[in-house]
Every structure is written in C-alpha cells, then in structure tokens.
Amino acid sequence: MEVEVEVEVLGFGYPPPPMSTPAQTLEPPVCMDGEILANRQITPVTWIMTIHSPDAAPRMRAGQFVNLHTSRGIVPLLRRPMSIHKVIEHMGQATGFCVLYDVIGPGTENLASMRKGDRISFIGPLGNAISVPETARRAVLIAGGVGIGPIKYVAEDLQRRGMRDITLCYGSRDSDHSVPVKEAAPDGCRVLVCTDDGSVGRKGFVTELVGELISGGRLTPGDYVFTCGPVPMFKAVRDLLGEHGIAAEAATEEYMGCGFGVCFGCPLKQRQPDGSVEYKLCCVDGCIFPLETLVFEGDEEDDAA
Ligand SMILES: Cc1cc2nc3c(=O)[nH]c(=O)nc-3n(C[C@H](O)[C@H](O)[C@H](O)COP(=O)(O)OP(=O)(O)OC[C@H]3O[C@@H](n4cnc5c(N)ncnc54)[C@H](O)[C@@H]3O)c2cc1C
Ligand code: FES
C-alpha cells in the first residue's frame, strides 16, 4: 500500500519570509563532548541519537554533518560521519542535535550501545549547507536507504524559509530498513514511500515515484530538489532529472578520515564547466554538490578521466 501523508503546514501567523539562498557563511567546526539525551531504536537496524550541545547546535545548518568518535578506546580509530538529522530547540534556542544511523559495522554498533547520560565526542558542523534558489517555490526531496538521515532537517529548513509544497520520495530495501514517516520528515510534507519488496508503501524504486511527480506536473524545472542515497540511486535520479532539465543538489557520502580537509581521504570526481573532471574533497568541497556535475564510477566521463 502506498503511504501518502498530506498535512497542511500550520499557519505561520505572519507572512512567510522571502526564499533566499543562504549565504554560505558557515561557522567553523568545533570538537567537543556532548551528553547523550536519548538513543532509541526506530527500526530493526536504525537508531536516532540525541546529543545535548548548546555550543555546537546553533552553528548547524541543513545538509551539514558531524564526525562522531564512536568508542571510548582507540578502536575504531577513525570517527564516523553522520548527517545532522534534526536540531533540537529549547525555548527558541538550539540546544542539541540528532543523528539517524543504520547499524552496519563496528562504529555504528558502538553508537547503538551508548546510553542516555553517556558523553560522546564529535567534530562539527562540517561540510556545506543546502543552497536554495531564490525563485524556488516547491521542493522535492529524494532519499534512498539511510540517505533519509539529513532529510528532516532539510525539510524543516525549507519550511522555515516559507516553502509549503514539499514532497519526500523515500525508498528503502524492506520494512526492516524503512524509517517511519513521522521520523523521516516534519509535519506538512507530502511523503511517498516505496520499498524494493513492497513490504512498506509501493513496491518499486524511488525513481518511479519521482517519474510520476514529473509526469503529473508536480516536479518541474525551477523546483528545488535535494537527494541523498546510494550511488546507483544518484545515477538513476540524475538521468531521470536530466531528461527533464531539472537540477538537483546531492549529499554525497565518501569514506572519511578527518572530515575537515586534512587527510585527503574522501576524494570524488566532479565535472567542471569547461568539461574537464577534477577531484574534490567530499568533506570540505561538499558533501553537497550539484548532482549533474558528479562523475561516478562507470560514467563515460569517468572512463575518459
Ligand atoms: C557526509 C556523510 C554523512 C553520512 N550520514 C550518515 C547518516 O546520516 N546515517 C548513517 O547511517 N550513515 C551515514 N553515513 C555513513 C556512515 O558514516 C557509515 O555508515 C559509518 O561510517 C559506518 O561505520 P561502521 O564502523 O559502523 O561500519 P564500517 O565497518 O566502516 O562499514 C560497514 C560497511 O559499510 C560500508 N561503508 C561504510 N561507510 C561507507 C560510506 N561512506 N560509503 C559507502 N559505504 C560505506 C563499508 O564498506 C562496509 O561494507 C554518512 C557518511 C558520510 C560521508
Ligand atoms: S575526510 Fe579528511 S580530507 Fe576529507
């Protein structure tokens, strides 16, 4: 059964602010400890951790990430990058943030073993933030698998800018991996869900949902599109949107070491305006890039590079 939740955004009580591209005047990251306020399991594989950090939270912008130290010892040595899923507020002040994560290996297993009251070291906020054209009045967010991580904060940010027509197309493997709609997106978003096996929402791939939005005139050039997910999904979304002249921003995920441009451990390829292909660092040049500029393994441009 297709899950479609349509909730009107409640009145703002004042005219919505004009849409504008946020100046990418981002705050420098900090390295600090935060207290874990909650660490709850929301699917058999997915957890949401809430971290109290009134110093770091006000600096965080939609689309950015943090690099978490997942153990109290030295193994795993490297921190693990996680998108900012939500910034929590108390009396109008940002006091903490959440990350949404799938348990897939030693780092995320350690994260899942942490409890309320434990402290966790993190570096952040890292990376760039979303960049929304002033003229965009409608948004489509496209998430595959744990690419759902940054979506809620991105949607909330768009709502804060006054955008009311936001659709999330969300695809995952099966019911074990499908995050409940209320965790995936804020009220006021239209949410379309699919799974590979049809155990939640429509059976099929997220690109089918996006294709239907396009054919129904609910996604057209000029709309803001943000996507996060695995490379095969990026390729399919890029090809589909490209056919219709629709631009998108993609939050990429590369293996990372430092998270702030020192170790050169997170290269990816990006096509430049003159057609050449250059290496960029996911952590400092991104992690958000125009989707149409990314060169993935197997692309013609990749072979030629
Ligand atoms: C900018 C950024 C934001 C991210 N946001 C989130 C998020 O919000 N939620 C979330 O669950 N995960 C997110 N990730 C991925 C997350 O960092 C990895 O899942 C995590 O590091 C895995 O650590 P581990 O020790 O548990 O598993 P590992 O033992 O490190 O990895 C387990 C398996 O996953 C693969 N893997 C690990 N990291 C990556 C990667 N970056 N790309 C492709 N395959 C990988 C490994 O090859 C291995 O097969 C993000 C990554 C980046 C770069
Ligand atoms: S993770 Fe070290 S340079 Fe990007």
Side-chain angles (χ1 to χ4, degrees), residues 29 60-67 80-84 97 99 122-128 252 256 258-260 282-284 286-288:
M60 295 180 171
R61 300 290 170 262
Q64 291 191 287
F65 65 97
V66 291
N67 218 2
R80 297 299 196 252
M82 293 290 162
S83 304
I84 297 161
F97 65 96
V99 292
F122 67 90
I123 301 174
L126 295 166
N128 55 4
T252 57
M256 285 192 182
C258 64
F260 47 82
C282 177
C283 65
V284 285
C287 66
I288 301 171

Side-chain angles (χ1 to χ4, degrees), residues 65 76 79-84 99-109 146 149-150 252-256 282 287:
F65 65 97
R79 291 167 183 266
R80 297 299 196 252
M82 293 290 162
S83 304
I84 297 161
V99 292
L100 178 154
Y101 60 97
D102 272 5
V103 175
I104 59 164
T108 46
E109 277 163 17
V146 78
T252 57
E253 293 186 0
E254 294 293 330
Y255 294 103
M256 285 192 182
C282 177
C287 66

Side-chain angles (χ1 to χ4, degrees), residues 226-261:
F226 174 89
T227 181
C228 186
V231 167
M233 187 201 83
F234 277 157
K235 284 180 162 186
V237 169
R238 181 192 58 187
D239 293 348
L240 177 62
L241 297 182
E243 282 170 26
H244 298 273
I246 300 167
E249 289 198 308
T252 57
E253 293 186 0
E254 294 293 330
Y255 294 103
M256 285 192 182
C258 64
F260 47 82

Side-chain angles (χ1 to χ4, degrees), residues 99-134:
V99 292
L100 178 154
Y101 60 97
D102 272 5
V103 175
I104 59 164
T108 46
E109 277 163 17
N110 282 352
L111 283 183
S113 73
M114 293 181 175
R115 296 286 168 262
K116 182 176 184 320
D118 289 349
R119 299 192 74 80
I120 184 164
S121 165
F122 67 90
I123 301 174
L126 295 166
N128 55 4
I130 60 169
S131 182
V132 185
E134 278 183 24

Side-chain angles (χ1 to χ4, degrees), residues 262-280:
V262 172
C263 71
F264 290 88
C266 61
L268 52 71
K269 289 178 183 170
Q270 189 190 32
R271 193 171 47 251
Q272 303 304 301
D274 67 1
S276 63
V277 174
E278 282 185 8
Y279 281 103
K280 296 287 173 184

